[in-house]
Amino acid sequence: MALRKLLPLMDRVLVEKIAPPAKSMGGVLLPDSAVQKINSATVVAVGPGRRTNTGDLVPMSVKEGDKVLLPDYGGTTVKLEEKELHIYRDDELLGVLTE
Amino acid sequence: MALRKLLPLMDRVLVEKIAPPAKSMGGVLLPDSAVQKINSATVVAVGPGRRTNTGDLVPMSVKEGDKVLLPDYGGTTVKLEEKELHIYRDDELLGVLTE
Amino acid sequence: MALRKLLPLMDRVLVEKIAPPAKSMGGVLLPDSAVQKINSATVVAVGPGRRTNTGDLVPMSVKEGDKVLLPDYGGTTVKLEEKELHIYRDDELLGVLTE
Amino acid sequence: MALRKLLPLMDRVLVEKIAPPAKSMGGVLLPDSAVQKINSATVVAVGPGRRTNTGDLVPMSVKEGDKVLLPDYGGTTVKLEEKELHIYRDDELLGVLTE
Amino acid sequence: MALRKLLPLMDRVLVEKIAPPAKSMGGVLLPDSAVQKINSATVVAVGPGRRTNTGDLVPMSVKEGDKVLLPDYGGTTVKLEEKELHIYRDDELLGVLTE
Amino acid sequence: MALRKLLPLMDRVLVEKIAPPAKSMGGVLLPDSAVQKINSATVVAVGPGRRTNTGDLVPMSVKEGDKVLLPDYGGTTVKLEEKELHIYRDDELLGVLTE
Amino acid sequence: MALRKLLPLMDRVLVEKIAPPAKSMGGVLLPDSAVQKINSATVVAVGPGRRTNTGDLVPMSVKEGDKVLLPDYGGTTVKLEEKELHIYRDDELLGVLTE
């Protein structure tokens, strides 16, 4: 039985990092320094939310498909089906990126 | 009197680790490096849940039989009937693995 | 006046450790290594329970006579009437052992 | 004006330690090792109780005259009228000793 | 404009230490060792009280004029009008001394 | 797809630092020492607010366009579209600057 | 646009320290040692107050114009319009000074 999908528990968020574009818009290979190292990722799955002191569920602030800005530190690396994914807590994520 | 079963207390979860497949689908003995060291386990038993600040029970987020993704650290090892089992707190478990 | 009994306060649990069987079922003296060092004990007495932030009593999760699995660390040793007993907090106990 | 009595504040308990019997029942002077060093005391006075997060008073779990089992550490020493007394918090006391 | 009076804020208590009697009842100058170093003081002024988590005021447990037993540590020294006074939090005070 | 906008999550505030005027009112180039290093910034975007222990949203204390005084420490640097911005938590900001 | 006024956020208090009188009542220049170093200040502005765990506003305990006694430590220095001011949290202030 191959375990392919991971449903995060509590207020955890499963994300896949977005590799920064190695080539500029014009297709020129960017030198490392120019590659904009923005720590962003796509949300793959979210947990049900954490419980408050009185046991109520706190709704999550991001949803599947959102593009999010990751903190510089934290996160747990998980390998699923040869893919490297990461797990963060909801309140560790800095913001949602939009066009 | 042989004590065979353990009912976890509070929000504890008793799990049995799933040993990663030593052979590939085709039956070839995998080298260590290739063995996908995914830290997963089967839930053997769960406690009733922890109490909130106001004394209410918080329902558990996993149940007996679930396949769960374990954190890299933590857990208490317990030997029961020659079997090595582990105890985690409910909120230490990262997620539920499904096909 | 000899003080013989101890009523634990708050969420404390008074236990007497169960010495692991020095002989196998067949009566053969087990070598140390084989002696299954399972950290279990019998509950001698329980306190009334701890208070929540709002002052309500939280019921205890074990009762007198239960066989419990102890954590590897913690506990306070108490000598009563030449007997060595131990005091744990309710939420330190890992689980209840049953046949 | 000689200040003789101390009314403990909040959840504090004023106790007087019970010196262990230096002689056995038969009157024989016990060697130090045999003297059962049980850390017990008599409650001299108790405070009104501590306040919960919402400001309510939590009733004390011991009362004047109780024999209590003290923890190995903690407590504040107070000299009143040449007597050495000790102050503990209610939740530091391990249990009430009875015959 | 000379600022002479200090109204403590929140759950603070302004006290003036009671110097222990240098002479015995009979008027004999006591050697230092005999001077009963009881850490007591008179309450000069009290604050309105601290706020609970829900914003309610918790009434103070001492009032102006009370004789209180001070802890061995803590307190902030304040000089007002050449007088040395001390500020403690309400829950740092050990007890109220009475005759 | 170029990700240009960042919606801060929870009680985070996205700000752009206000560079202190390099020239005096009269247009004279100020020496470094004279440049008033006031740590101020303009609010670019604010999150929805943090959750209380009971799960309710706490309204933010600043809004887009406010000029705010930053603490000397803290903040996370973020590069968006070649611009260097910073993220602070709502309760880290010291005050709102007005004319 | 010169930013002249600072509205403190949350439970912060903006104060201006009161320099102790360098001359005695009679006008004689006091030696440093005699200068009564009382750590006092005038309240310039106060924030709206902090939020409790349930999100309610806790009223501030000081107001603009109050003379307050500062703790020996803490506080953030702020330069506004060449004036050196300080920011404290409401519950750091020790008391209100009156004549």
Side-chain angles (χ1 to χ4, degrees):
Chain A
M1 185 190 74
L3 301 168
R4 285 195 188 69
K5 266 187 72 180
L6 176 67
L7 306 179
L9 283 168
M10 306 224 167
D11 62 339
R12 289 184 180 86
V13 181
L14 183 66
V15 302
E16 187 173 358
K17 291 201 177 183
I18 300 169
K23 294 193 178 176
S24 71
M25 292 289 183
V28 172
L29 202 64
L30 295 172
D32 253 0
S33 58
V35 172
Q36 190 194 359
K37 198 191 84 41
I38 176 161
N39 214 344
S40 61
T42 307
V43 173
V44 175
V46 296
R50 72 177 173 83
R51 298 264 175 193
T52 67
N53 281 0
T54 48
D56 304 309
L57 260 187
V58 177
M60 297 290 277
S61 46
V62 293
K63 62 185 180 315
E64 194 178 317
D66 279 350
K67 302 283 183 250
V68 290
L69 182 64
L70 301 176
D72 293 340
Y73 307 102
T76 305
T77 306
V78 177
K79 274 215 157 176
L80 263 180
E81 298 268 288
E82 299 315 312
K83 248 196 212 167
E84 184 171 279
L85 302 176
H86 295 81
I87 297 177
Y88 289 86
R89 294 276 184 169
D90 190 22
D91 65 7
E92 288 180 299
L93 303 177
L94 300 183
V96 173
L97 290 157
T98 65
E99 289 154 37
Chain B
M1 186 191 76
L3 301 167
R4 285 194 188 72
K5 265 188 73 180
L6 177 67
L7 306 179
L9 283 168
M10 305 220 169
D11 62 339
R12 291 184 180 85
V13 182
L14 183 65
V15 301
E16 187 174 358
K17 290 200 177 183
I18 300 170
K23 294 193 178 176
S24 70
M25 293 288 182
V28 172
L29 202 64
L30 294 173
D32 254 1
S33 58
V35 172
Q36 189 194 359
K37 198 189 82 43
I38 175 161
N39 214 344
S40 61
T42 305
V43 173
V44 175
V46 295
R50 72 176 173 84
R51 299 261 175 197
T52 67
N53 281 2
T54 48
D56 305 308
L57 261 186
V58 176
M60 297 289 278
S61 47
V62 293
K63 61 185 181 316
E64 196 179 316
D66 279 349
K67 303 283 184 253
V68 290
L69 182 64
L70 302 176
D72 292 340
Y73 307 102
T76 305
T77 306
V78 177
K79 274 214 158 177
L80 263 180
E81 297 269 287
E82 300 314 314
K83 249 197 212 168
E84 185 171 280
L85 303 176
H86 294 80
I87 296 177
Y88 289 86
R89 295 276 185 170
D90 190 23
D91 66 6
E92 288 179 300
L93 302 178
L94 299 183
V96 173
L97 290 157
T98 65
E99 289 154 36
Chain C
M1 184 190 77
L3 301 168
R4 284 196 188 73
K5 266 188 72 180
L6 176 66
L7 306 179
L9 283 167
M10 305 220 168
D11 62 338
R12 290 184 180 86
V13 182
L14 183 66
V15 302
E16 188 173 358
K17 290 200 176 183
I18 300 169
K23 294 193 177 176
S24 70
M25 292 289 184
V28 172
L29 202 64
L30 296 173
D32 254 1
S33 59
V35 172
Q36 191 192 0
K37 198 188 85 41
I38 175 160
N39 214 344
S40 61
T42 306
V43 173
V44 175
V46 295
R50 72 175 173 84
R51 300 261 175 196
T52 67
N53 281 1
T54 48
D56 305 308
L57 262 187
V58 176
M60 298 289 278
S61 46
V62 294
K63 60 185 180 318
E64 195 179 317
D66 279 349
K67 302 283 183 250
V68 290
L69 181 65
L70 301 176
D72 293 341
Y73 307 103
T76 305
T77 306
V78 177
K79 273 214 157 177
L80 262 181
E81 297 269 286
E82 300 314 312
K83 247 196 209 168
E84 185 172 280
L85 303 175
H86 295 80
I87 297 177
Y88 289 85
R89 294 276 185 169
D90 190 24
D91 67 5
E92 287 179 300
L93 303 176
L94 299 183
V96 174
L97 291 156
T98 65
E99 291 155 36
Chain D
M1 185 190 75
L3 301 167
R4 285 196 187 72
K5 265 188 73 179
L6 176 67
L7 307 177
L9 283 168
M10 305 220 168
D11 62 337
R12 291 184 180 85
V13 182
L14 183 66
V15 302
E16 188 173 358
K17 291 200 176 181
I18 301 169
K23 294 191 177 175
S24 70
M25 293 286 184
V28 173
L29 203 63
L30 296 173
D32 254 1
S33 59
V35 171
Q36 189 192 2
K37 198 189 84 39
I38 176 160
N39 215 345
S40 60
T42 306
V43 173
V44 175
V46 296
R50 73 176 172 83
R51 299 263 176 196
T52 66
N53 281 1
T54 48
D56 304 308
L57 262 186
V58 177
M60 298 289 278
S61 47
V62 293
K63 60 184 180 319
E64 196 179 316
D66 279 349
K67 302 282 181 252
V68 290
L69 181 65
L70 302 175
D72 292 341
Y73 307 102
T76 306
T77 307
V78 176
K79 273 212 156 177
L80 262 181
E81 298 269 284
E82 300 315 313
K83 248 196 209 167
E84 184 172 278
L85 302 175
H86 295 81
I87 296 177
Y88 289 86
R89 294 276 185 170
D90 190 23
D91 68 5
E92 288 178 300
L93 303 176
L94 300 182
V96 173
L97 290 156
T98 65
E99 290 155 39
Chain E
M1 185 188 74
L3 301 167
R4 283 195 189 72
K5 265 188 75 178
L6 176 67
L7 306 177
L9 283 168
M10 306 222 169
D11 63 339
R12 290 184 180 85
V13 182
L14 183 66
V15 302
E16 187 173 358
K17 291 201 176 182
I18 302 169
K23 294 192 177 176
S24 71
M25 294 287 184
V28 174
L29 203 64
L30 295 172
D32 253 1
S33 59
V35 172
Q36 190 192 3
K37 198 190 85 40
I38 176 159
N39 214 346
S40 60
T42 306
V43 173
V44 175
V46 296
R50 73 175 172 82
R51 299 263 176 194
T52 66
N53 281 2
T54 47
D56 304 308
L57 262 185
V58 177
M60 297 290 278
S61 47
V62 293
K63 59 185 181 318
E64 195 179 316
D66 279 350
K67 302 281 182 256
V68 290
L69 182 64
L70 301 176
D72 293 342
Y73 307 102
T76 306
T77 306
V78 178
K79 273 213 157 177
L80 264 180
E81 298 269 283
E82 299 315 311
K83 248 196 211 168
E84 185 171 277
L85 302 175
H86 295 80
I87 297 178
Y88 290 86
R89 294 275 185 168
D90 190 25
D91 67 5
E92 288 179 300
L93 303 176
L94 301 181
V96 172
L97 289 157
T98 65
E99 290 154 38
Chain F
M1 186 190 72
L3 302 166
R4 284 195 189 71
K5 264 187 73 179
L6 176 67
L7 308 178
L9 284 168
M10 306 223 168
D11 62 338
R12 290 184 180 84
V13 181
L14 183 66
V15 302
E16 187 174 359
K17 290 201 177 182
I18 301 169
K23 293 193 177 177
S24 70
M25 293 287 184
V28 172
L29 204 64
L30 295 173
D32 252 3
S33 57
V35 173
Q36 189 193 3
K37 199 191 84 40
I38 177 162
N39 213 346
S40 61
T42 307
V43 173
V44 174
V46 296
R50 72 176 173 83
R51 298 262 175 196
T52 67
N53 280 2
T54 48
D56 305 308
L57 261 186
V58 177
M60 297 290 278
S61 46
V62 293
K63 61 184 180 318
E64 196 178 315
D66 278 350
K67 303 281 183 257
V68 290
L69 181 65
L70 302 176
D72 293 340
Y73 307 102
T76 305
T77 306
V78 177
K79 273 214 156 176
L80 263 180
E81 299 269 285
E82 299 315 312
K83 248 198 212 167
E84 185 172 279
L85 302 176
H86 295 80
I87 297 178
Y88 289 86
R89 294 277 184 167
D90 190 23
D91 66 8
E92 288 179 299
L93 303 176
L94 300 182
V96 173
L97 289 157
T98 64
E99 289 154 37
Chain G
M1 185 189 73
L3 302 167
R4 282 194 191 72
K5 264 187 74 179
L6 176 68
L7 307 178
L9 284 168
M10 307 224 168
D11 62 339
R12 290 184 180 86
V13 181
L14 183 66
V15 302
E16 187 174 359
K17 290 201 177 183
I18 301 169
K23 294 193 178 176
S24 70
M25 293 288 185
V28 173
L29 202 65
L30 294 173
D32 251 4
S33 58
V35 173
Q36 188 191 5
K37 199 191 83 41
I38 176 161
N39 213 347
S40 61
T42 306
V43 173
V44 175
V46 296
R50 72 175 172 85
R51 299 263 175 193
T52 66
N53 281 1
T54 47
D56 304 308
L57 262 186
V58 176
M60 297 290 277
S61 47
V62 293
K63 60 184 182 317
E64 196 179 316
D66 278 350
K67 302 280 182 259
V68 290
L69 182 64
L70 302 176
D72 293 342
Y73 308 101
T76 305
T77 306
V78 177
K79 272 213 155 175
L80 263 180
E81 298 269 284
E82 300 315 313
K83 248 197 214 168
E84 185 171 277
L85 303 175
H86 295 79
I87 297 177
Y88 289 86
R89 294 275 184 169
D90 190 24
D91 67 6
E92 288 179 298
L93 303 176
L94 300 182
V96 173
L97 289 156
T98 65
E99 290 154 36

